[in-house]
Amino acid sequence: MYDLVIRSAHVLTEQGFTPAAVAITGGVIRAITPVDAPLEARIDRTLPAGQVLQPGIIDTHVHVNEPGRTDWEGFGSATRAAAAGGVTTIIDMPLNSIPPTTTVPALELKRAAAAPQATVNVGFWGGAIPGNLGSLEPLHDAGVFGFKAFLSPSGVDEFPHLTPEQLDAAATEIAGFGGLLVVHAEDPAVLDSSPDASGTSYRDFVASRPDAAEDSAIARVIEVVRRTGVRAHILHLSSAQVLPRLAAARAEGLPITVETCPHYLSFAAESIADGATAFKCCPPIRGEGNRDQLWQGLADGVIDLIASDHSPATRELKLGHGGDFGLAWGGISGLQLSLPAVWTAARARGFALEQVLHWMAGATARFAGLAAGALPVRALPVGALPVGALPVGALPVGAIEVGAAADLVAFAPEEAFTVNVNTLRHKNRVSAFDGATLFGRVHTTWLAGAVIYAVDDTAFDVATASTRPPAGRLLSAR
């Protein structure tokens, strides 16, 4: 007797989409059988025509901002938005919370905030800033997934960027204990010599953060990787101009990976109106030709994965400056829409859904060490805040396979909808995707075999979200 059986004409297995029944007990996939196999279960559900069963999305780049800036976002609202978007695991960035996750006590504050609220599983990045260099290993041992560093000002005073000398020191230290360095790569010298960002012209804003800023900074990261052997990851690649440099580094065998984001794959500078600060992000959304080259970079394998870089702020910070790109907060709120946004753009270019799920679930799970055969990861039971308290073995995610966590999504890839920002579940109703027509609706999301979102379930309305207890676990990379 299984707890749950889900049957579908299209289940994503290692053979691709195929008719199958997925049998679940105790939150674990126990069997994958022919779709009409006689299985006994407490709940036996068959997905309707038009819906596929796929693994949950693993989003490795999310700014939750709690504690300290919880009016921007928070673990309750962010993880409900994630569930509604088919995302079952997020990894939280070390800023823009106060304090940032640059010490073990700050990590414990994050865990304390997340534990009673998380609808999905949550892991944490640490930060590498000038003030904590030489003392990163305790954070590594406490279970952060790696260390984020900025090479240019981050936008918040409590998370300063690293100079070239400090980047070398951080890389050497992180390489010494086998950690991972993740980098916001823009060169401050190039930014300082570029035109000012103030004003309502989107073209002027892009000119203030040119391709050369990414190219120069990524060249520096590649050299540091070559010299120190540190594993490094380039965050939110915007400039396709850098792809040949990255391809050469990969061909050299350097341990460097790369991500891009839904907004860079969905939008183009030519279509962004002056004063439309909902589209402001750093590095910026560039032109149509650049966007096409990013897609080619994904197809060629130079770009490894796609993550949302969900970076919300209050409506006033984002839209309240009269359209001045120099004053508006830079960040796109896209967590709930990342899967349909990427699928919509990929579908138009002839990519299969299987490929999108590779970039957003399989590859992200492997990058984070959460996939089968990846580095060992443990889960801290909700409420177990002290570092190292009673760890339990985490199950692999990012694929539908026997022994994996039953983190699953019923997704209708050909169902179109128009984004209404007022129906999104993140805290501040601002999004560059507002009004866009997207393909792909999430109908149900399961976490460890339990429904955490259903499209017709009003329990997840903001006003009544507390009626269902959170189901997420806190993840530790050690």
Side-chain angles (χ1 to χ4, degrees), residues 107-121:
L107 173 63
E108 291 173 344
L109 287 174
K110 278 281 187 88
R111 285 174 167 161
Q117 303 184 72
T119 298
V120 303
N121 295 333

Side-chain angles (χ1 to χ4, degrees), residues 94 100-105 107 124-150 159-160 162 165-182 230-231 387 478:
T101 315
T102 54
T103 65
V104 173
L107 173 63
F124 304 90
W125 295 106
I129 62 173
N132 71 348
L133 299 184
S135 57
L136 298 177
E137 191 166 6
L139 260 179
H140 172 78
D141 293 343
V144 298
F145 281 73
F147 294 87
K148 181 173 186 177
F150 275 76
F159 202 97
L162 301 181
E165 296 75 19
Q166 290 166 340
L167 176 65
D168 279 0
T172 300
E173 182 180 357
I174 293 166
F177 53 73
L180 173 65
L181 174 67
V182 301
V230 71
R231 289 187 300 128
V387 174
R478 302 291 157 263

Side-chain angles (χ1 to χ4, degrees), residues 289-361:
N290 181 86
R291 178 180 60 183
D292 292 342
Q293 290 176 64
L294 290 177
W295 278 107
Q296 190 61 50
L298 283 161
D300 293 342
V302 180
I303 301 174
D304 300 273
L305 58 94
I306 302 170
S308 72
D309 189 12
H310 178 69
S311 184
T314 64
R315 188 175 184 85
E316 176 62 24
L317 283 171
K318 192 67 180 163
L319 304 179
H321 299 286
D324 189 325
F325 283 96
L327 297 176
W329 176 256
I332 303 289
S333 295
L335 176 59
Q336 183 173 336
L337 299 170
S338 59
L339 172 59
V342 174
W343 165 236
T344 298
R347 175 181 178 274
R349 287 167 170 77
F351 290 102
L353 180 58
E354 293 97 316
Q355 184 63 69
V356 169
L357 295 173
H358 164 74
W359 290 322
M360 302 186 74

Side-chain angles (χ1 to χ4, degrees), residues 229-310:
V230 71
R231 289 187 300 128
H233 178 75
I234 302 299
L235 298 165
H236 47 51
L237 182 71
S238 160
S239 173
Q241 178 177 302
V242 191
L243 290 172
R245 186 185 298 280
L246 288 165
R250 301 281 286 273
E252 188 181 336
L254 297 180
I256 187 166
T257 52
V258 188
E259 73 181 44
T260 192
C261 304
H263 37 282
Y264 300 131
L265 299 169
S266 299
F267 303 123
E270 293 87 343
S271 301
I272 298 175
D274 288 349
T277 52
F279 292 86
K280 179 183 176 180
C281 55
C282 300
I285 297 164
R286 305 188 190 275
E288 291 179 5
N290 181 86
R291 178 180 60 183
D292 292 342
Q293 290 176 64
L294 290 177
W295 278 107
Q296 190 61 50
L298 283 161
D300 293 342
V302 180
I303 301 174
D304 300 273
L305 58 94
I306 302 170
S308 72
D309 189 12
H310 178 69

